[in-house]
Amino acid sequence: MKRSGSLAAPNPAWAFFFDIDGTLADLAPTPAEIRLERELHQLIHALHRNSGGALALISGRSIEDVDSIFGEPRLPVAGHHGLERRDAEGKISRHDATVEKLANARTRLSEAVARHSGLLLEDKGQSLALHYRAKPALASYAHRTMRGLHSKLGPEYAILTGKRIIEIKPSGKDKGDAVREFLEEEPFRGRTPVFVGDDVTDEYGFAVVNSLGGRSIKVGAGRTGARWRLPDVRAVRAWLERID
């Protein structure tokens, strides 16, 4: 992996893809408490303009949730790890996934959260995420519980793990798929792709970008397939401020 010092300044001719939590905003005790620095908010919107719209947010959050953070103008977004996507023209497409089977898992997880202080259930509608940021000692319990529920759901669903979070979601899409789909469309098509992320789920995006000769950038510590690294959210902001 190359060091962050060898990472070129952002070029408006590239196609940019950003995770949000832990990448553009520091992780908060709960997803609802995330706060995006005003300077980063301005930099992202400026880069969106300067790149001719070739910037997309790739998140585990829903499109609606992302919009509540970034406001106007609406940016291209892949939400729910690629299960839903809004292209540069504003058209929204959703992966055909069955979510009815999640009803029992939702009930079981609500009961688990009620019994164990420090667990948080994030119900995203199409997926269920169990957070244990407030009490890392519950990691084993959280993973055991989620994997037990997943075993009863079958191959239509997948498990995703992240920073003190484990999630059950419909199979068939990931962040790498979302990047590929954007790159098939204007204004992303034909550009050098850049993916910036901090978590395990971002590795799918890194793999796609690496295969296309782009720039994959890991934020923070941890093993990764990314070819560059930035230490934290503040370093991401400093990098964006270097734009050519």
Side-chain angles (χ1 to χ4, degrees):
M1 182 190 301
K2 297 181 181 180
R3 296 183 178 180
S4 59
S6 65
L7 178 60
N11 186 329
W14 295 344
F16 294 91
F17 304 98
F18 292 93
D19 174 48
I20 300 172
D21 297 65
T23 299
L24 297 179
D26 287 312
L27 293 176
T30 69
E33 295 177 73
I34 190 173
R35 293 293 180 269
L36 186 68
E37 290 183 6
R38 185 169 62 90
E39 292 83 0
L40 259 175
H41 185 278
Q42 293 172 340
L43 284 167
I44 289 296
H45 280 285
L47 182 56
H48 177 248
R49 291 192 303 272
N50 294 339
S51 65
L55 180 151
L57 303 168
I58 314 290
S59 179
R61 293 173 178 267
S62 68
I63 291 176
E64 181 181 10
D65 198 5
V66 172
D67 286 347
S68 73
I69 296 170
F70 284 86
E72 298 287 350
R74 299 303 193 213
L75 300 171
V77 178
H80 292 304
H81 305 281
L83 288 175
E84 59 179 14
R85 194 171 66 88
R86 181 173 63 214
D87 66 18
E89 296 183 350
K91 180 182 177 181
I92 295 178
S93 57
R94 290 186 169 87
H95 179 53
D96 185 17
T98 302
V99 296
E100 287 79 6
K101 286 185 179 181
L102 288 179
N104 180 61
R106 184 177 289 109
T107 299
R108 293 281 304 279
L109 290 173
S110 296
E111 293 169 351
V113 167
R115 288 195 303 269
H116 296 276
S117 175
L119 288 181
L120 172 69
L121 173 60
E122 185 183 6
D123 187 348
K124 303 180 183 182
Q126 295 188 69
S127 64
L128 299 170
L130 191 60
H131 296 262
Y132 49 94
R133 291 180 199 171
K135 199 165 185 180
L138 289 173
S140 245
Y141 173 79
H143 282 253
R144 187 169 63 251
T145 299
M146 291 291 270
R147 294 191 184 281
L149 292 171
H150 176 243
S151 69
K152 298 175 182 178
L153 290 170
E156 295 173 64
Y157 293 84
I159 283 279
L160 289 179
T161 59
K163 292 181 176 177
R164 297 179 181 175
I165 179 177
I166 181 165
E167 184 169 351
I168 295 175
K169 63 175 282 292
S171 302
K173 292 286 184 179
D174 59 42
K175 291 186 175 183
D177 295 318
V179 169
R180 286 191 188 278
E181 289 168 0
F182 276 118
L183 289 171
E184 292 173 356
E185 305 166 348
E186 296 295 341
F188 300 90
R189 184 186 289 120
R191 294 172 178 245
T192 298
V194 179
F195 192 100
V196 188
D198 74 302
D199 213 340
V200 177
T201 58
D202 298 315
E203 295 295 326
Y204 297 103
F206 296 154
V208 168
V209 165
N210 289 345
S211 72
L212 297 172
R215 288 166 169 78
S216 51
I217 305 168
K218 164 80 170 179
V219 180
R223 295 180 62 182
T224 182
R227 292 173 177 167
W228 283 269
R229 191 187 297 268
L230 293 169
D232 52 32
V233 171
R234 278 149 294 285
V236 174
R237 186 182 73 184
W239 178 66
L240 288 173
E241 289 171 342
R242 294 172 53 206
I243 188 167
D244 290 338

